[in-house]
Amino acid sequence: MVEHRRWNDILAYAILTLGVLIVVFPVYVALIASTHDAATVVNGNMPMLPGSHTLENYYRAIFVGGSRYSREPVGQMLMNSFVSAAGIAIGKIFISILSAYAVVYFRFPFRKTAFWIIFVTLMLPVEVRIYPTYKVIADLKMLDTYSGLILPLIASATGTLLFRQFFMTIPDELLEASRIDGAGPFRFFKDTLLPLSVTTMAALFVIQFIYGWNQYLWPLLITTQESMQTIVTGIKKMLTTTDELAEWQLAMATAILAMVPPVAVVVFMQRLFVRGLVETEK
C-alpha cells in the first residue's frame, strides 16, 4: 500500500499543475489571438485578454473563409474531418472485432499465422505503403471522395490485437452456456460478446477517432479540391508564405474549432465508458 505523506502530495500536485499550465498556455494564447484583429496579433504586443473581434473572426472562419486564395469555410472542413474520422473509427472497430472473433473462436488452418501477419503490419510505417495505396485509390476513382479518405485507413492491427486479448479473458463457460441455449456463432457474438465489449469499443473509438481527425499526409495527397480538404490540412494552407499579412486570427480560430470535436468525443465516450464499467460490475 502506497504511503501518503502531506509533502509528497503537495509536490505531486505542484508538478501536475505545472504540467497542465505548460500544456494549456499555448491553447490559451491561440484562444486570445482568435479574438483580435490581424494587426494586433502580428505586432508583437498582443494582450493576454480577449479582444472585441470574437464573433467576427469565428463567423468568418466558419461560414466565409479566408479572403485570399478563396479559402473554404471551416464549417466544410469540420464536416469533412468529422465524416472521415468517424468513418475510420467505426470501420476499424468493425473489422477489428470481427477479425479478433474469428481468430479466437474459430478453428481453421493457419489461424495463428493469419494473426501474426496482421500483427506484423504494425511494423510497417505509413510511408512504405503510401504510394501503392495512392495508386489503388486513384485507379478506383476515389480521389476527392470520402471513400478515398476512409477506406485505406480502416484496417487496424492494433484494434485486432486489443479485441483478441479481451476475448481471451472471457471465460469458456459463457461459450458453453450459449451452446446449451442453442445459440449459434452469430447469436453468441451479438448477445454475449458485443455487450461485454462496449467499454473496449468506446476506448478504441476515442483513440481511432483522434487518429483519423489528426490525419495530415493522406488527406493532403488525395484531396485536390478545396471543398474536400480536412481541418488539419486547412490550417496548414491558411498559413501560406507570401508577402501579404497572414490572417493569424482566422488560423487561431480554426485551431480552436479543430479541438472542439475530439474533446466532445472524449467527454461523451468517457461517460459511456464509465456506464459500461458500472453495468459490468453489476
Side-chain angles (χ1 to χ4, degrees):
M1 187 173 182
V2 179
E3 184 178 359
H4 293 282
R5 294 184 179 180
R6 181 170 178 270
W7 290 109
N8 289 343
D9 292 342
I10 293 176
L11 178 61
Y13 279 110
I15 295 174
L16 288 174
T17 303
L18 178 62
V20 170
L21 291 176
I22 293 174
V23 173
V24 171
F25 184 71
V27 179
Y28 176 76
V29 172
L31 178 63
I32 295 300
S34 68
T35 64
H36 293 279
D37 61 328
T40 303
V41 175
V42 300
N43 66 6
N45 296 317
M46 185 184 71
M48 287 291 99
L49 295 176
S52 59
H53 294 76
T54 304
L55 295 179
E56 175 189 350
N57 291 340
Y58 280 92
Y59 178 83
R60 283 189 58 197
I62 297 174
F63 299 107
V64 180
S67 60
R68 298 190 305 275
Y69 308 107
S70 50
R71 293 296 178 213
E72 288 293 319
V74 173
Q76 183 62 39
M77 298 182 197
L78 290 171
M79 177 61 66
N80 295 339
S81 292
F82 183 83
V83 172
S84 175
I88 290 171
I90 294 173
K92 281 178 176 287
I93 292 174
F94 180 76
I95 292 178
S96 298
I97 197 170
L98 289 180
S99 58
Y101 176 56
V103 169
V104 174
Y105 289 100
F106 287 84
R107 299 294 182 265
F108 54 89
F110 305 107
R111 178 169 61 97
K112 291 186 178 181
T113 303
F115 169 73
W116 283 109
I117 291 175
I118 296 173
F119 184 75
V120 166
T121 59
L122 283 173
M123 305 177 188
L124 293 176
V126 176
E127 291 77 12
V128 172
R129 46 189 167 85
I130 197 73
Y131 174 75
T133 305
Y134 177 84
K135 183 68 168 59
V136 171
I137 294 299
D139 292 342
L140 294 177
K141 310 298 183 183
M142 289 186 180
L143 299 179
D144 293 313
T145 63
Y146 288 129
S147 300
L149 286 170
I150 295 171
L151 291 180
L153 301 177
I154 62 174
S156 176
T158 304
T160 302
L161 176 63
L162 182 64
F163 280 115
R164 174 183 178 270
Q165 297 305 115
F166 172 70
F167 289 162
M168 292 179 67
T169 64
I170 296 177
D172 294 336
E173 289 76 10
L174 288 178
L175 177 59
E176 296 173 0
S178 297
R179 287 175 176 173
I180 293 174
D181 290 340
F186 177 76
R187 185 179 171 187
F188 171 70
F189 175 76
K190 180 176 69 73
D191 295 342
T192 303
L193 290 184
L194 282 184
L196 292 175
S197 304
V198 170
T199 54
T200 305
M201 287 190 291
L204 187 61
F205 183 89
V206 171
I207 296 172
Q208 300 302 343
F209 183 90
I210 296 176
Y211 163 81
W213 185 270
N214 291 331
Q215 282 295 311
Y216 174 75
L217 179 59
W218 181 246
L220 183 66
L221 285 177
I222 73 160
T223 56
T224 58
Q225 300 177 7
E226 295 286 340
S227 60
M228 284 303 299
Q229 69 184 6
T230 59
I231 189 71
V232 177
T233 59
I235 294 174
K236 177 63 177 68
K237 290 181 180 179
M238 292 178 71
L239 303 177
T240 54
T241 305
T242 64
D243 294 334
E244 300 181 36
L245 184 65
E247 296 178 298
W248 284 100
Q249 78 282 12
L250 297 186
M252 295 299 102
T254 303
I256 295 299
L257 291 170
M259 290 186 287
V260 174
V263 171
V265 168
V266 171
V267 172
F268 176 77
M269 286 299 173
Q270 184 179 22
R271 295 176 59 186
L272 182 63
F273 182 78
V274 172
R275 187 178 65 182
L277 285 178
V278 172
E279 292 178 354
T280 302
E281 291 176 356
K282 291 180 179 179

